[in-house]
Amino acid sequence: MKKIVYTLALTTILVGCKETKTEEKTPKEDGLIHLTQTQFQSGGMGIGNPTEQDFDVSIKTSGTIDVPPQNRAQVTTFIGGYVKSTTLLVGDKVRKGQALVTLESTEFLDIQKEYLEVAEQIKYLKSEYERQKTLFDEKISSQKNYLKAESDYRKTKGMYQSLREKLLLLKINPANVEKGKLTSTVTISSPISGDIVVMNANVGMYIAPSAVILEIVDTQHLHLELAVFEKDILKVKVGQKIDFTVPEASKEVFPAEVHLVGKSIEGNDRTINVHGHLDESIKQKLLTGMFVEAKIVTNSKKGLAIPSEALVTENNKNFVLLLDSNKNNNYSFKKVAVGIGEKNKDFVEIIPNSEIKVSSKILTKGAFDLVN
């Protein structure tokens, strides 16, 4: 009798242990993620079906914000001098013709002095040339004297014209020089209107010939310079929409439009330059030289899509949570790998497979929080 009771008790304990193990089954054992109705509601989760959405077909590229060559100017001087005065800083706006910097040098005086001397000589040489010509025509003077007078006059006239042009380049009035009004300073003016982006001049600094004193950029003509790979270039046409970001500065997406497509392949990476026009409203937010990542929209299509927040990415793989069952106010979800296609602001295109169809029910809200 005691033996029978002992056997029954042992059997009961074993059955109880087995039931306990069955009740303690974890998500890892059945490959599903479980949660209750209360957890579902408190997490603000939602379930829905994939839907058909419109997507832009685009090619990815990168480039910079730039301006055309005629809207960027490097200010230099062809004769060196010391900076006498300047009031400008990087970021200041200047107008075309505005005084930028004043230089001072004895070389400016030397040029004026030389010009003045040549201007005086040329009056005499012109008179002598005309006199010798008359005498030669009347066969009174020799041809040798006539040709020498002509040569001296023409040589000096060339020097006169050359020095005069130098004075004009220095913005020194030759008429004032001929009146004896000489100056040791010259003022360099702005060749274009724009913003100062480089400033290399300080008061007292010597500026060597051809050294860049400052650089001006007309930001009203900002544009995109993109490098498109050879394999994609035949898809790019003038007028196509461009969406771009400045990843180092903002996540904001800016609009642009293809304006010009290059006609030759450049560099070892075999890319073609594409010029994009910017919307006027965004130019004030951008700076020349900014690196951009862009998408050129080349076509459009319809595709099966899910909300962006329904997609979970782990280790460079993409997943959705597929509803496996909903019983007794308890939810069970299965993590299913999916391939993705195009993206827009709110949706991601998914590639249908044996498990994900139009009728599939997936977790559309709260997927990221649930997985993590």
Side-chain angles (χ1 to χ4, degrees), residues 2-264:
K2 289 182 179 180
K3 187 175 181 180
I4 294 172
V5 172
Y6 176 77
T7 303
L8 290 172
L10 183 60
T11 302
T12 302
I13 291 171
L14 292 173
V15 171
C17 290
K18 184 176 181 181
E19 290 177 353
T20 300
K21 288 181 179 179
T22 302
E23 290 174 357
E24 292 176 352
K25 182 183 290 185
T26 64
K28 291 183 179 179
E29 291 174 339
D30 60 12
L32 302 177
I33 299 175
H34 304 280
L35 70 160
T36 64
Q37 179 71 28
T38 302
Q39 292 172 323
F40 185 86
Q41 292 176 344
S42 63
M45 299 179 182
I47 294 175
N49 302 104
T51 58
E52 191 177 70
Q53 299 290 334
D54 292 319
F55 289 98
D56 290 331
V57 179
S58 59
I59 60 175
K60 294 182 179 180
T61 181
S62 60
T64 57
I65 304 292
D66 205 350
V67 292
Q70 65 269 26
N71 297 110
R72 180 191 295 273
Q74 289 185 332
V75 178
T76 62
T77 177
F78 67 95
I79 298 178
Y82 292 91
V83 179
K84 184 176 182 181
S85 66
T86 183
T87 59
L88 299 172
L89 298 171
V90 171
D92 282 341
K93 291 185 178 295
V94 295
R95 306 178 310 277
K96 184 176 180 178
Q98 177 180 334
L100 299 176
V101 62
T102 299
L103 298 181
E104 187 173 38
S105 175
T106 56
E107 288 190 59
F108 305 145
L109 289 172
D110 293 339
I111 293 175
Q112 294 168 81
K113 180 183 176 182
E114 188 178 358
Y115 172 78
L116 189 57
E117 291 174 352
V118 172
E120 292 297 326
Q121 288 179 14
I122 201 168
K123 294 176 184 178
Y124 164 75
L125 293 174
K126 182 179 181 182
S127 174
E128 179 64 14
Y129 163 66
E130 290 175 346
R131 189 178 75 88
Q132 289 293 335
K133 185 175 187 302
T134 301
L135 293 173
F136 176 72
D137 290 341
E138 293 177 356
K139 301 186 185 307
I140 298 174
S141 178
S142 66
Q143 184 182 30
K144 179 181 177 181
N145 291 336
Y146 164 66
L147 292 177
K148 184 178 185 306
E150 181 184 33
S151 173
D152 291 343
Y153 170 64
R154 293 189 182 280
K155 182 172 66 174
T156 305
K157 185 179 180 181
M159 291 176 61
Y160 173 83
Q161 292 292 349
S162 174
L163 290 168
R164 180 182 174 84
E165 290 301 318
K166 280 187 178 182
L167 293 177
L168 292 174
L169 286 173
L170 291 170
K171 301 295 189 296
I172 297 175
N173 189 341
N176 289 338
V177 176
E178 292 184 28
K179 293 176 184 177
K181 297 178 181 179
L182 308 185
T183 178
S184 62
T185 62
V186 298
T187 299
I188 297 178
S189 303
S190 177
I192 63 171
S193 297
D195 301 308
I196 295 177
V197 296
V198 174
M199 185 65 179
N200 295 324
N202 298 318
V203 174
M205 170 188 270
Y206 178 76
I207 302 295
S210 302
V212 176
I213 303 172
L214 49 82
E215 186 172 342
I216 303 169
V217 171
D218 183 357
T219 54
Q220 294 301 312
H221 296 274
L222 289 178
H223 66 260
L224 286 180
E225 282 294 338
L226 303 176
V228 177
F229 287 109
E230 181 181 5
K231 64 183 180 65
D232 297 320
I233 195 60
L234 294 181
K235 303 173 187 175
V236 180
K237 310 293 180 187
V238 173
Q240 289 174 336
K241 176 184 173 185
I242 303 173
D243 293 322
F244 72 94
T245 61
V246 184
E248 296 299 322
S250 170
K251 293 183 179 179
E252 185 177 356
V253 179
F254 300 104
E257 183 180 284
V258 175
H259 181 65
L260 292 172
V261 180
K263 302 301 181 183
S264 64

Side-chain angles (χ1 to χ4, degrees), residues 310-359:
L311 189 71
V312 179
T313 302
E314 290 182 344
N315 300 323
N316 295 322
K317 294 183 179 180
N318 300 296
F319 301 90
V320 296
L321 298 182
L322 177 66
L323 181 65
D324 185 75
S325 65
N326 179 11
K327 298 178 181 178
N328 301 323
N329 292 326
N330 288 309
Y331 294 87
S332 296
F333 292 94
K334 181 181 181 181
K335 197 155 83 169
V336 178
V338 292
I340 64 171
E342 303 297 334
K343 298 180 181 179
N344 60 26
K345 183 179 178 182
D346 301 310
F347 291 90
V348 178
E349 180 188 13
I350 58 172
I351 311 303
N353 55 35
S354 59
E355 293 187 89
I356 303 297
K357 307 177 182 65
V358 177
S359 59

